[in-house]
Amino acid sequence: MRALVVYETIWGNTGSLAEAAAEGLRGSAGVERVDVVAATEAPRAIDPEVDLVIVGGPTHAFSMSTASTRNNARQQGATGIPARGIREWIDELAPPTSAVAVATFDTRTVKPRLPGSAAKKAMKALVAKGFRPVDPPRTFGVHGYSGPLADGELERAREWGATLTDA
């Protein structure tokens, strides 16, 4: 099995979770290769040898980030603002040649608890492109907008990644 993890991170939290999920996958039987790549560097077409794609990003304004919400994060002190997030990557992504398995995750603040989910919106967009969902969208908590991650979230991401081979 080969997997591709594509993520968008602004404060570093979502990137850490992407690495943790990949680590969980790598520890699973039958996993040959797991590549982790930022949305800014992600391919515009999925390699036909990839069996699973995991996509993660922060929840901004109830959904996936936009150039405007990333600019707002910059105004709040974020310095690692990507030029292209998962929204733009998905928009530019070619439909897969077969129904590639997909799982999504997002990060959201623990307090205040805000509605919306980048993971749900990403899943909907990816399914519309022809991907096959293998797990419900997942949310991981962060304290405040910049983090840190809530206690236990890295381990939960590792465990989640390990379960995706069963799907």
Side-chain angles (χ1 to χ4, degrees):
M1 175 181 179
R2 285 189 55 195
L4 173 65
V5 181
V6 177
Y7 70 92
E8 170 189 351
T9 195
I10 292 177
W11 301 96
N13 300 300
T14 311
S16 295
L17 291 164
E19 291 290 347
E23 192 176 306
L25 269 172
R26 288 183 186 114
S28 300
V31 176
E32 177 184 318
R33 180 175 168 181
V34 180
D35 294 315
V36 181
V37 63
T40 54
E41 305 299 321
R44 286 184 166 57
I46 302 301
D47 184 321
E49 293 185 17
V50 170
D51 304 296
L52 170 67
V53 175
I54 299 174
V55 179
T59 298
H60 281 202
F62 316 115
S63 187
M64 295 178 278
S65 76
T66 63
S68 174
T69 63
R70 291 191 296 271
N71 188 48
N72 288 344
R74 178 181 288 111
Q75 292 171 359
Q76 293 177 20
T79 57
I81 307 295
R84 176 174 81 159
I86 60 170
R87 175 188 299 266
E88 293 87 359
W89 175 72
I90 293 169
D91 287 347
E92 297 168 4
L93 185 62
T97 56
S98 64
V100 175
V102 69
T104 60
F105 74 94
D106 63 25
T107 51
R108 274 190 286 184
T109 61
V110 174
K111 284 186 180 179
R113 178 83 171 128
L114 300 172
S117 169
K120 287 181 182 178
K121 301 290 181 165
M123 180 65 80
K124 184 176 180 180
L126 289 161
V127 167
K129 290 241 178 203
F131 288 83
R132 178 178 51 87
V134 293
D135 198 61
R138 300 293 175 119
T139 293
F140 296 91
V142 297
H143 294 292
Y145 295 110
S146 61
L149 288 166
D151 292 344
E153 294 296 70
L154 281 177
E155 184 55 36
R156 196 165 72 88
R158 271 187 215 94
E159 291 170 0
W160 175 63
T163 68
L164 293 175
T165 58
D166 298 338

